[in-house]
Amino acid sequence: MKKKVAFYTLGCKLNFSETSTIARNFADEGFERVDFSEEADMYVINTCSVTDNADKKFKTIVKKAQKINPDAFVAAVGCYAQLKPEELADVDGVDLVLGATEKFKITDYINDLTKNDHGKIHSCEIADADFYVGSYAIGDRTRAFLKVQDGCDYKCTYCTIPLARGISRSDTLDNVLKNAADISEQGIKEIVLTGVNIGDYGKGEFGNKKHEHTFLDLVKALDDVDGIHRLRISSIEPNLLKNETIAFVAQSKTFVPHFHIPLQSGSDDLLKLMKRRYMTNLYKERVHKIREVMPNCCIGVDVIVGFPGETEEHFLETYHFLNDLDISYLHVFTYSERDNTPAASMDGVVPNKIRNKRSKMLRGLSVKKRRAFYESQIGNELTVLFEGENKEGYIHGFTENYVKVKSPWNPELVNTLHSVKLTKIDKDGLVRFNFVNLEVEV
Protein backbone atom coordinates (compact mmCIF):
# COMPACT_ATOMS: atom_id res chain seq x y z
CA MET A 1 0.00 0.00 0.00
CA LYS A 2 1.30 3.42 -0.94
CA LYS A 3 1.61 5.96 1.84
CA LYS A 4 -0.76 8.90 1.36
CA VAL A 5 0.20 12.57 1.68
CA ALA A 6 -1.99 15.68 1.63
CA PHE A 7 -1.04 19.35 1.29
CA TYR A 8 -2.49 22.65 2.46
CA THR A 9 -1.12 25.96 1.18
CA LEU A 10 -1.48 29.31 2.89
CA GLY A 11 -0.61 32.61 1.23
CA CYS A 12 0.53 33.57 -2.21
CA LYS A 13 0.71 32.03 -5.69
CA LEU A 14 4.44 31.49 -5.09
CA ASN A 15 3.62 29.19 -2.17
CA PHE A 16 1.22 27.23 -4.38
CA SER A 17 3.93 26.73 -7.00
CA GLU A 18 6.37 25.51 -4.34
CA THR A 19 3.81 23.14 -2.79
CA SER A 20 3.47 21.51 -6.22
CA THR A 21 7.22 21.00 -6.44
CA ILE A 22 7.29 19.47 -2.95
CA ALA A 23 4.35 17.22 -3.91
CA ARG A 24 6.24 15.99 -6.98
CA ASN A 25 9.15 15.07 -4.67
CA PHE A 26 6.76 12.92 -2.62
CA ALA A 27 5.43 11.28 -5.80
CA ASP A 28 9.02 10.41 -6.75
CA GLU A 29 9.33 8.69 -3.35
CA GLY A 30 6.24 6.57 -4.01
CA PHE A 31 3.63 8.55 -2.08
CA GLU A 32 0.06 8.95 -3.32
CA ARG A 33 -1.29 12.50 -3.12
CA VAL A 34 -4.82 12.91 -1.73
CA ASP A 35 -7.01 15.89 -0.93
CA PHE A 36 -6.48 17.54 2.47
CA SER A 37 -10.04 16.60 3.44
CA GLU A 38 -9.19 12.89 3.07
CA GLU A 39 -7.40 10.53 5.43
CA ALA A 40 -3.64 10.60 4.86
CA ASP A 41 -0.52 9.22 6.53
CA MET A 42 1.10 12.65 6.36
CA TYR A 43 -0.15 16.23 6.14
CA VAL A 44 2.14 19.01 4.91
CA ILE A 45 1.16 22.62 5.60
CA ASN A 46 2.98 25.31 3.60
CA THR A 47 2.78 28.38 5.81
CA CYS A 48 2.63 32.13 5.23
CA SER A 49 3.54 34.97 7.54
CA VAL A 50 2.54 38.04 5.57
CA THR A 51 -0.55 38.66 7.70
CA ASP A 52 -1.57 37.93 11.26
CA ASN A 53 -4.54 35.96 9.96
CA ALA A 54 -2.29 33.48 8.11
CA ASP A 55 -0.44 32.83 11.39
CA LYS A 56 -3.66 32.12 13.29
CA LYS A 57 -5.10 29.92 10.57
CA PHE A 58 -2.22 27.47 10.92
CA LYS A 59 -3.50 26.04 14.22
CA THR A 60 -6.97 25.55 12.75
CA ILE A 61 -5.52 23.58 9.83
CA VAL A 62 -3.46 21.35 12.15
CA LYS A 63 -6.60 20.56 14.15
CA LYS A 64 -8.43 19.73 10.93
CA ALA A 65 -5.72 17.24 9.96
CA GLN A 66 -5.73 15.65 13.42
CA LYS A 67 -9.50 15.30 13.35
CA ILE A 68 -9.30 13.36 10.07
CA ASN A 69 -6.42 11.15 11.26
CA PRO A 70 -5.07 11.62 14.83
CA ASP A 71 -2.12 9.34 14.02
CA ALA A 72 -1.00 11.25 10.91
CA PHE A 73 2.45 12.84 10.74
CA VAL A 74 2.14 16.65 10.42
CA ALA A 75 4.87 18.83 8.88
CA ALA A 76 5.01 22.63 8.69
CA VAL A 77 7.15 24.30 6.02
CA GLY A 78 7.49 27.75 4.49
CA CYS A 79 7.73 31.35 5.62
CA TYR A 80 6.19 31.11 9.09
CA ALA A 81 8.23 27.96 9.69
CA GLN A 82 11.40 29.93 8.93
CA LEU A 83 10.48 32.96 11.03
CA LYS A 84 9.04 31.24 14.10
CA PRO A 85 9.96 27.55 14.06
CA GLU A 86 9.69 27.12 17.85
CA GLU A 87 6.19 28.57 17.84
CA LEU A 88 5.06 26.07 15.24
CA ALA A 89 6.87 23.18 16.90
CA ASP A 90 4.92 23.92 20.09
CA VAL A 91 1.56 23.49 18.36
CA ASP A 92 -0.04 20.25 19.50
CA GLY A 93 0.18 17.60 16.76
CA VAL A 94 3.05 19.13 14.76
CA ASP A 95 5.91 16.64 14.22
CA LEU A 96 8.32 18.44 11.89
CA VAL A 97 9.15 22.07 11.09
CA LEU A 98 11.29 22.92 8.05
CA GLY A 99 12.60 26.36 7.14
CA ALA A 100 13.38 28.16 3.89
CA THR A 101 15.98 25.81 2.42
CA GLU A 102 14.95 22.52 4.06
CA LYS A 103 11.37 22.49 2.73
CA PHE A 104 12.54 21.26 -0.68
CA LYS A 105 14.36 18.35 0.99
CA ILE A 106 11.41 17.29 3.14
CA THR A 107 11.52 13.66 2.05
CA ASP A 108 15.06 13.43 3.47
CA TYR A 109 13.70 14.23 6.95
CA ILE A 110 10.97 11.63 7.17
CA ASN A 111 11.54 8.00 8.02
CA ASP A 112 8.71 5.82 9.30
CA LEU A 113 6.23 8.70 9.92
CA THR A 114 6.13 7.91 13.63
CA LYS A 115 4.68 10.86 15.51
CA ASN A 116 7.02 12.88 17.74
CA ASP A 117 6.32 14.07 21.28
CA HIS A 118 7.35 17.55 20.13
CA GLY A 119 7.93 19.08 16.73
CA LYS A 120 11.49 18.63 15.44
CA ILE A 121 12.99 21.75 13.87
CA HIS A 122 15.35 22.00 10.91
CA SER A 123 15.79 25.62 9.86
CA CYS A 124 18.79 27.46 8.49
CA GLU A 125 20.15 30.92 9.04
CA ILE A 126 18.32 32.94 6.41
CA ALA A 127 21.68 34.04 4.96
CA ASP A 128 22.08 30.42 3.84
CA ALA A 129 18.96 30.70 1.66
CA ASP A 130 21.03 31.73 -1.32
CA PHE A 131 20.24 29.00 -3.85
CA TYR A 132 17.29 28.78 -6.22
CA VAL A 133 14.72 26.01 -6.54
CA GLY A 134 12.45 26.29 -9.58
CA SER A 135 8.81 25.29 -9.36
CA TYR A 136 5.39 25.58 -10.91
CA ALA A 137 1.85 24.67 -9.89
CA ILE A 138 -1.13 23.79 -12.00
CA GLY A 139 -4.41 24.99 -10.51
CA ASP A 140 -7.90 24.09 -11.73
CA ARG A 141 -6.41 22.55 -14.91
CA THR A 142 -6.62 25.88 -16.73
CA ARG A 143 -3.63 27.90 -15.52
CA ALA A 144 -0.20 27.34 -14.04
CA PHE A 145 1.76 29.46 -11.58
CA LEU A 146 5.37 29.56 -12.77
CA LYS A 147 8.00 30.67 -10.26
CA VAL A 148 10.77 32.73 -11.84
CA GLN A 149 12.33 34.49 -8.83
CA ASP A 150 12.62 34.18 -5.05
CA GLY A 151 13.69 36.36 -2.12
CA CYS A 152 13.94 40.13 -1.87
CA ASP A 153 16.69 42.70 -1.30
CA TYR A 154 14.25 45.48 -0.40
CA LYS A 155 13.96 46.62 3.20
CA CYS A 156 10.32 47.72 3.50
CA THR A 157 9.81 48.46 7.19
CA TYR A 158 6.61 46.38 7.57
CA CYS A 159 7.72 43.25 5.73
CA THR A 160 9.12 39.93 6.97
CA ILE A 161 9.62 38.34 3.56
CA PRO A 162 13.39 39.04 3.33
CA LEU A 163 13.70 37.38 6.77
CA ALA A 164 11.63 34.42 5.63
CA ARG A 165 12.95 33.92 2.09
CA GLY A 166 16.41 35.47 1.93
CA ILE A 167 18.13 37.46 -0.80
CA SER A 168 16.79 38.09 -4.29
CA ARG A 169 17.69 35.31 -6.70
CA SER A 170 16.37 34.08 -10.01
CA ASP A 171 15.85 30.98 -12.08
CA THR A 172 18.00 30.72 -15.18
CA LEU A 173 16.31 31.92 -18.34
CA ASP A 174 16.81 28.51 -19.95
CA ASN A 175 15.06 26.75 -17.06
CA VAL A 176 12.12 29.19 -17.06
CA LEU A 177 11.65 28.59 -20.78
CA LYS A 178 11.89 24.81 -20.28
CA ASN A 179 9.26 24.90 -17.51
CA ALA A 180 7.00 27.09 -19.65
CA ALA A 181 7.30 24.62 -22.54
CA ASP A 182 6.57 21.69 -20.18
CA ILE A 183 3.43 23.45 -18.93
CA SER A 184 2.18 24.20 -22.43
CA GLU A 185 2.66 20.55 -23.43
CA GLN A 186 0.19 19.59 -20.68
CA GLY A 187 -2.56 21.54 -22.37
CA ILE A 188 -2.55 24.41 -19.87
CA LYS A 189 -3.77 27.59 -21.54
CA GLU A 190 -2.46 30.27 -19.15
CA ILE A 191 0.78 30.80 -17.23
CA VAL A 192 1.00 33.29 -14.37
CA LEU A 193 4.54 34.44 -13.57
CA THR A 194 5.20 34.48 -9.82
CA GLY A 195 7.98 35.38 -7.42
CA VAL A 196 8.62 37.56 -4.40
CA ASN A 197 9.86 40.51 -6.46
CA ILE A 198 9.64 39.40 -10.10
CA GLY A 199 10.63 42.77 -11.53
CA ASP A 200 14.06 42.07 -10.01
CA TYR A 201 14.36 39.00 -12.27
CA GLY A 202 17.90 38.27 -13.42
CA LYS A 203 19.65 39.01 -10.15
CA GLY A 204 21.27 35.88 -8.76
CA GLU A 205 20.62 33.90 -11.93
CA PHE A 206 24.03 32.22 -11.60
CA GLY A 207 24.12 31.80 -7.81
CA ASN A 208 25.82 35.15 -7.33
CA LYS A 209 25.01 38.79 -8.08
CA LYS A 210 25.89 38.42 -11.74
CA HIS A 211 23.06 39.95 -13.72
CA GLU A 212 22.89 38.79 -17.33
CA HIS A 213 19.15 39.07 -18.00
CA THR A 214 16.44 41.54 -17.05
CA PHE A 215 12.70 41.16 -16.52
CA LEU A 216 12.16 42.59 -20.01
CA ASP A 217 14.49 39.91 -21.45
CA LEU A 218 12.41 37.28 -19.66
CA VAL A 219 9.14 38.67 -20.99
CA LYS A 220 10.45 38.82 -24.56
CA ALA A 221 11.81 35.27 -24.42
CA LEU A 222 8.59 33.82 -22.98
CA ASP A 223 6.56 35.54 -25.67
CA ASP A 224 8.29 33.30 -28.22
CA VAL A 225 7.60 29.96 -26.50
CA ASP A 226 5.38 27.82 -28.72
CA GLY A 227 2.06 26.56 -27.40
CA ILE A 228 1.43 29.18 -24.72
CA HIS A 229 -1.89 30.96 -25.20
CA ARG A 230 -1.71 33.44 -22.32
CA LEU A 231 0.97 34.84 -20.04
CA ARG A 232 0.04 36.95 -17.05
CA ILE A 233 2.32 38.98 -14.73
CA SER A 234 1.17 38.40 -11.15
CA SER A 235 2.53 41.44 -9.29
CA ILE A 236 5.35 43.86 -10.03
CA GLU A 237 6.82 46.82 -8.16
CA PRO A 238 6.07 50.18 -9.86
CA ASN A 239 9.74 51.20 -9.91
CA LEU A 240 10.62 47.93 -11.69
CA LEU A 241 7.77 48.07 -14.19
CA LYS A 242 9.61 49.95 -16.93
CA ASN A 243 7.90 51.76 -19.82
CA GLU A 244 9.68 49.38 -22.23
CA THR A 245 7.97 46.41 -20.56
CA ILE A 246 4.57 48.13 -20.71
CA ALA A 247 5.11 48.91 -24.41
CA PHE A 248 6.14 45.31 -25.14
CA VAL A 249 3.13 43.81 -23.34
CA ALA A 250 0.85 46.14 -25.32
CA GLN A 251 1.90 44.50 -28.61
CA SER A 252 2.75 41.04 -27.26
CA LYS A 253 1.40 37.83 -28.78
CA THR A 254 0.67 36.17 -25.45
CA PHE A 255 1.03 38.60 -22.51
CA VAL A 256 -2.40 39.79 -21.45
CA PRO A 257 -3.39 43.39 -20.59
CA HIS A 258 -3.40 43.00 -16.81
CA PHE A 259 -0.97 44.43 -14.26
CA HIS A 260 -1.05 44.16 -10.48
CA ILE A 261 1.09 46.95 -9.04
CA PRO A 262 1.61 47.37 -5.27
CA LEU A 263 1.10 50.94 -4.05
CA GLN A 264 0.74 50.45 -0.25
CA SER A 265 0.00 54.14 0.40
CA GLY A 266 -1.09 57.20 -1.52
CA SER A 267 0.85 59.41 0.88
CA ASP A 268 4.49 60.21 0.11
CA ASP A 269 5.11 60.70 3.85
CA LEU A 270 4.06 57.13 4.55
CA LEU A 271 5.86 55.71 1.52
CA LYS A 272 9.07 57.16 3.00
CA LEU A 273 8.31 55.61 6.42
CA MET A 274 7.64 52.30 4.69
CA LYS A 275 10.96 52.63 2.78
CA ARG A 276 9.24 52.03 -0.54
CA ARG A 277 11.35 52.82 -3.61
CA TYR A 278 9.04 55.27 -5.39
CA MET A 279 6.73 58.19 -4.71
CA THR A 280 3.13 58.66 -5.80
CA ASN A 281 4.15 60.65 -8.90
CA LEU A 282 6.00 57.66 -10.36
CA TYR A 283 3.05 55.39 -9.59
CA LYS A 284 0.67 57.77 -11.34
CA GLU A 285 2.99 57.92 -14.36
CA ARG A 286 2.98 54.11 -14.66
CA VAL A 287 -0.82 53.96 -14.60
CA HIS A 288 -1.10 56.74 -17.20
CA LYS A 289 1.44 54.99 -19.45
CA ILE A 290 -0.51 51.73 -19.28
CA ARG A 291 -3.78 53.49 -20.08
CA GLU A 292 -2.11 55.30 -22.99
CA VAL A 293 -1.04 52.09 -24.76
CA MET A 294 -3.67 49.65 -23.36
CA PRO A 295 -6.94 51.51 -22.69
CA ASN A 296 -8.76 48.30 -21.70
CA CYS A 297 -6.01 47.01 -19.39
CA CYS A 298 -6.98 45.77 -15.93
CA ILE A 299 -4.87 47.42 -13.21
CA GLY A 300 -4.92 46.00 -9.67
CA VAL A 301 -3.44 47.71 -6.63
CA ASP A 302 -2.19 46.56 -3.21
CA VAL A 303 -2.73 49.04 -0.38
CA ILE A 304 -2.07 48.91 3.38
CA VAL A 305 -4.23 50.77 5.91
CA GLY A 306 -3.35 51.56 9.51
CA PHE A 307 0.42 51.76 9.12
CA PRO A 308 2.06 53.48 12.14
CA GLY A 309 1.81 57.24 11.79
CA GLU A 310 -1.12 57.10 9.37
CA THR A 311 -3.27 60.07 10.37
CA GLU A 312 -6.78 60.71 9.09
CA GLU A 313 -5.23 63.19 6.63
CA HIS A 314 -2.78 60.55 5.34
CA PHE A 315 -5.60 58.05 4.90
CA LEU A 316 -7.79 60.53 3.03
CA GLU A 317 -4.79 61.35 0.84
CA THR A 318 -4.60 57.65 -0.06
CA TYR A 319 -8.35 57.39 -0.58
CA HIS A 320 -8.53 60.39 -2.90
CA PHE A 321 -5.37 59.34 -4.77
CA LEU A 322 -6.92 55.95 -5.54
CA ASN A 323 -10.37 57.37 -6.23
CA ASP A 324 -8.92 59.73 -8.85
CA LEU A 325 -6.70 57.08 -10.44
CA ASP A 326 -7.97 55.00 -13.38
CA ILE A 327 -7.48 51.58 -11.74
CA SER A 328 -9.66 48.46 -11.74
CA TYR A 329 -9.64 46.93 -8.24
CA LEU A 330 -7.84 46.98 -4.88
CA HIS A 331 -6.36 44.35 -2.60
CA VAL A 332 -6.67 45.95 0.84
CA PHE A 333 -4.42 44.82 3.70
CA THR A 334 -4.98 45.92 7.29
CA TYR A 335 -1.57 46.57 8.83
CA SER A 336 -0.53 44.03 11.47
CA GLU A 337 2.63 44.25 13.56
CA ARG A 338 5.27 41.70 12.59
CA ASP A 339 8.11 40.80 14.93
CA ASN A 340 11.61 41.94 13.98
CA THR A 341 10.40 44.65 11.60
CA PRO A 342 11.20 48.36 12.12
CA ALA A 343 7.52 49.31 11.79
CA ALA A 344 6.58 47.22 14.83
CA SER A 345 8.37 49.72 17.12
CA MET A 346 7.32 52.92 15.33
CA ASP A 347 5.32 55.65 17.03
CA GLY A 348 1.81 56.60 16.01
CA VAL A 349 0.13 53.20 16.42
CA VAL A 350 -3.30 53.29 14.80
CA PRO A 351 -6.06 51.69 16.95
CA ASN A 352 -7.50 48.48 15.47
CA LYS A 353 -10.99 49.99 15.34
CA ILE A 354 -9.72 52.78 13.06
CA ARG A 355 -7.67 50.33 10.96
CA ASN A 356 -10.80 48.27 10.36
CA LYS A 357 -12.89 51.33 9.50
CA ARG A 358 -10.32 52.50 6.93
CA SER A 359 -10.06 49.00 5.50
CA LYS A 360 -13.84 48.90 5.04
CA MET A 361 -13.79 52.25 3.23
CA LEU A 362 -11.14 51.09 0.78
CA ARG A 363 -12.88 47.77 0.20
CA GLY A 364 -15.98 49.75 -0.69
CA LEU A 365 -13.92 51.83 -3.10
CA SER A 366 -12.60 48.62 -4.66
CA VAL A 367 -16.16 47.40 -5.32
CA LYS A 368 -16.93 50.73 -7.01
CA LYS A 369 -13.74 50.61 -9.09
CA ARG A 370 -14.31 47.02 -10.23
CA ARG A 371 -17.91 47.79 -11.17
CA ALA A 372 -16.83 50.83 -13.20
CA PHE A 373 -14.16 48.78 -14.96
CA TYR A 374 -16.63 46.00 -15.79
CA GLU A 375 -19.15 48.56 -17.09
CA SER A 376 -16.45 50.03 -19.35
CA GLN A 377 -16.02 46.59 -20.94
CA ILE A 378 -19.69 45.95 -21.79
CA GLY A 379 -20.05 45.63 -25.55
CA ASN A 380 -16.41 44.65 -26.06
CA GLU A 381 -15.41 41.43 -27.82
CA LEU A 382 -12.91 39.57 -25.63
CA THR A 383 -11.57 36.05 -25.15
CA VAL A 384 -12.60 33.98 -22.14
CA LEU A 385 -10.67 31.09 -20.61
CA PHE A 386 -13.19 28.88 -18.81
CA GLU A 387 -12.35 27.24 -15.49
CA GLY A 388 -13.05 23.74 -14.27
CA GLU A 389 -15.40 24.10 -11.31
CA ASN A 390 -19.20 23.88 -11.30
CA LYS A 391 -20.25 26.74 -9.03
CA GLU A 392 -23.95 26.45 -8.23
CA GLY A 393 -24.79 25.52 -11.79
CA TYR A 394 -22.49 28.02 -13.48
CA ILE A 395 -19.09 27.92 -15.13
CA HIS A 396 -16.83 30.90 -14.54
CA GLY A 397 -14.01 32.28 -16.60
CA PHE A 398 -11.76 35.28 -17.05
CA THR A 399 -11.20 37.49 -20.06
CA GLU A 400 -7.65 38.41 -20.98
CA ASN A 401 -8.13 41.69 -19.08
CA TYR A 402 -9.41 39.89 -15.99
CA VAL A 403 -13.16 40.45 -16.23
CA LYS A 404 -14.86 37.56 -14.44
CA VAL A 405 -17.75 36.07 -16.42
CA LYS A 406 -20.36 33.38 -15.81
CA SER A 407 -22.50 31.08 -17.95
CA PRO A 408 -24.69 28.01 -17.27
CA TRP A 409 -22.48 25.01 -16.50
CA ASN A 410 -21.17 23.18 -19.55
CA PRO A 411 -18.29 20.75 -18.93
CA GLU A 412 -17.27 20.95 -22.59
CA LEU A 413 -16.18 24.56 -22.02
CA VAL A 414 -13.61 23.69 -19.32
CA ASN A 415 -10.09 24.85 -20.27
CA THR A 416 -11.23 26.26 -23.62
CA LEU A 417 -10.85 29.74 -25.05
CA HIS A 418 -13.84 31.42 -26.69
CA SER A 419 -14.51 34.79 -28.26
CA VAL A 420 -17.42 36.47 -26.49
CA LYS A 421 -19.20 39.80 -26.44
CA LEU A 422 -19.86 41.10 -22.93
CA THR A 423 -23.53 42.06 -22.53
CA LYS A 424 -24.45 42.92 -18.92
CA ILE A 425 -23.40 42.74 -15.27
CA ASP A 426 -25.38 40.18 -13.28
CA LYS A 427 -26.75 40.86 -9.80
CA ASP A 428 -23.78 39.02 -8.22
CA GLY A 429 -21.36 41.39 -9.98
CA LEU A 430 -20.18 38.89 -12.61
CA VAL A 431 -20.56 39.56 -16.31
CA ARG A 432 -22.80 37.81 -18.80
CA PHE A 433 -21.93 37.44 -22.47
CA ASN A 434 -22.89 36.07 -25.85
CA PHE A 435 -20.62 33.74 -27.77
CA VAL A 436 -19.24 35.35 -30.91
CA ASN A 437 -18.90 31.85 -32.32
CA LEU A 438 -19.20 28.45 -30.73
CA GLU A 439 -15.99 26.96 -32.07
CA VAL A 440 -13.18 26.52 -29.62
CA GLU A 441 -10.23 28.78 -30.34
CA VAL A 442 -6.85 27.21 -29.73
Side-chain angles (χ1 to χ4, degrees):
M1 289 284 289
K2 279 188 174 183
K3 294 283 187 185
K4 294 180 179 179
V5 60
F7 299 88
Y8 196 105
T9 305
L10 288 159
C12 60
K13 295 180 178 74
L14 179 57
N15 269 8
F16 278 92
S17 71
E18 292 182 342
T19 297
S20 286
T21 295
I22 294 166
R24 285 191 280 273
N25 292 342
F26 273 94
D28 291 343
E29 295 293 327
F31 280 77
E32 177 189 347
R33 182 175 182 175
V34 298
D35 190 80
F36 202 85
S37 61
E38 298 176 43
E39 185 170 336
D41 300 288
M42 182 172 181
Y43 294 91
V44 180
I45 304 167
N46 194 354
T47 63
C48 169
S49 197
V50 170
T51 66
D52 194 37
N53 189 47
D55 291 359
K56 289 173 182 171
K57 197 171 180 185
F58 174 76
K59 291 180 183 177
T60 306
I61 298 159
V62 173
K63 284 180 183 173
K64 181 181 176 184
Q66 286 188 297
K67 194 172 179 182
I68 300 167
N69 182 6
D71 299 322
F73 192 89
V74 177
V77 303
C79 292
Y80 192 16
Q82 176 64 36
L83 290 174
K84 297 191 175 181
E86 292 84 4
E87 203 171 288
L88 292 192
D90 286 340
V91 173
D92 186 41
V94 172
D95 300 291
L96 180 66
V97 179
L98 299 179
T101 61
E102 290 79 7
K103 64 188 173 189
F104 295 109
K105 300 178 282 187
I106 184 170
T107 54
D108 294 344
Y109 290 103
I110 55 174
N111 296 314
D112 57 0
L113 299 185
T114 302
K115 288 193 72 61
N116 297 316
D117 293 333
H118 185 265
K120 291 185 177 177
I121 296 169
H122 298 277
S123 69
C124 65
E125 291 298 319
I126 198 59
D128 296 334
D130 57 359
F131 60 90
Y132 186 87
V133 177
S135 56
Y136 63 85
I138 293 168
D140 200 24
R141 294 195 297 133
T142 59
R143 67 175 53 83
F145 304 120
L146 173 58
K147 175 182 169 185
V148 300
Q149 182 273 342
D150 200 351
C152 188
D153 291 341
Y154 287 9
K155 299 291 186 286
C156 300
T157 55
Y158 54 82
C159 187
T160 57
I161 288 176
L163 301 174
R165 285 189 167 270
I167 60 171
S168 179
R169 54 208 189 273
S170 307
D171 204 349
T172 63
L173 187 59
D174 285 347
N175 199 50
V176 173
L177 297 178
K178 176 188 173 296
N179 284 340
D182 288 348
I183 292 165
S184 70
E185 285 172 9
Q186 296 179 53
I188 303 299
K189 299 289 195 293
E190 179 173 306
I191 295 175
V192 183
L193 304 185
T194 69
V196 174
N197 188 359
I198 63 172
D200 206 28
Y201 176 81
K203 190 184 286 184
E205 190 181 351
F206 302 96
N208 51 32
K209 291 297 179 185
K210 188 179 174 187
H211 206 306
E212 186 167 306
H213 296 105
T214 65
F215 183 70
L216 180 59
D217 294 333
L218 173 72
V219 166
K220 286 180 174 178
L222 281 168
D223 201 47
D224 284 332
V225 175
D226 288 336
I228 299 176
H229 298 268
R230 282 184 178 180
L231 283 157
R232 197 178 296 273
I233 298 167
S234 62
S235 180
I236 184 166
E237 294 285 305
N239 52 302
L240 297 174
L241 177 56
K242 306 299 186 185
N243 285 340
E244 295 86 350
T245 302
I246 295 169
F248 183 82
V249 169
Q251 54 82 52
S252 158
K253 300 190 290 285
T254 50
F255 276 90
V256 295
H258 177 202
F259 290 100
H260 192 91
I261 315 168
L263 169 67
Q264 312 308 13
S265 177
S267 162
D268 286 343
D269 290 343
L270 287 183
L271 289 176
K272 288 171 188 171
L273 280 176
M274 292 174 170
K275 289 198 174 175
R276 301 293 286 161
R277 298 197 176 195
Y278 54 87
M279 292 291 107
T280 51
N281 269 346
L282 182 139
Y283 196 94
K284 195 184 296 183
E285 286 170 13
R286 293 292 185 267
V287 171
H288 289 169
K289 179 64 179 177
I290 292 167
R291 285 280 167 248
E292 181 187 313
V293 295
M294 286 175 276
N296 291 315
C297 186
C298 182
I299 303 174
V301 182
D302 284 344
V303 62
I304 296 170
V305 296
F307 187 81
E310 184 185 66
T311 63
E312 190 68 14
E313 290 73 22
H314 288 135
F315 171 71
L316 289 175
E317 204 178 342
T318 296
Y319 187 95
H320 293 308
F321 179 79
L322 289 166
N323 190 43
D324 294 341
L325 208 56
D326 191 0
I327 55 167
S328 313
Y329 65 89
L330 304 172
H331 283 172
V332 183
F333 297 89
T334 304
Y335 172 75
S336 59
E337 287 78 2
R338 319 307 292 151
D339 290 345
N340 301 315
T341 60
S345 56
M346 285 182 179
D347 295 332
V349 173
V350 179
N352 284 330
K353 189 175 179 182
I354 294 176
R355 297 185 206 185
N356 294 335
K357 176 189 167 190
R358 291 174 183 173
S359 175
K360 192 174 180 180
M361 284 180 68
L362 283 183
R363 289 178 202 278
L365 179 61
S366 180
V367 170
K368 188 179 97 170
K369 287 285 186 181
R370 193 185 294 271
R371 176 86 186 194
F373 176 63
Y374 281 9
E375 284 175 350
S376 75
Q377 300 304 301
I378 299 300
N380 287 353
E381 285 190 13
L382 298 164
T383 305
V384 172
L385 173 60
F386 288 98
E387 302 194 329
E389 192 178 346
N390 184 339
K391 295 184 178 178
E392 298 179 349
Y394 287 93
I395 189 169
H396 293 171
F398 284 94
T399 64
E400 59 268 44
N401 62 344
Y402 214 55
V403 175
K404 191 171 185 179
V405 304
K406 63 185 286 194
S407 183
W409 171 252
N410 179 353
E412 292 181 11
L413 292 176
V414 172
N415 197 33
T416 64
L417 289 156
H418 283 272
S419 291
V420 303
K421 184 174 185 178
L422 304 187
T423 56
K424 66 175 184 177
I425 302 175
D426 216 343
K427 58 181 181 292
D428 60 2
L430 304 187
V431 179
R432 296 294 199 129
F433 59 87
N434 292 326
F435 287 100
V436 172
N437 59 59
L438 289 176
E439 292 183 17
V440 177
E441 298 183 350
V442 293

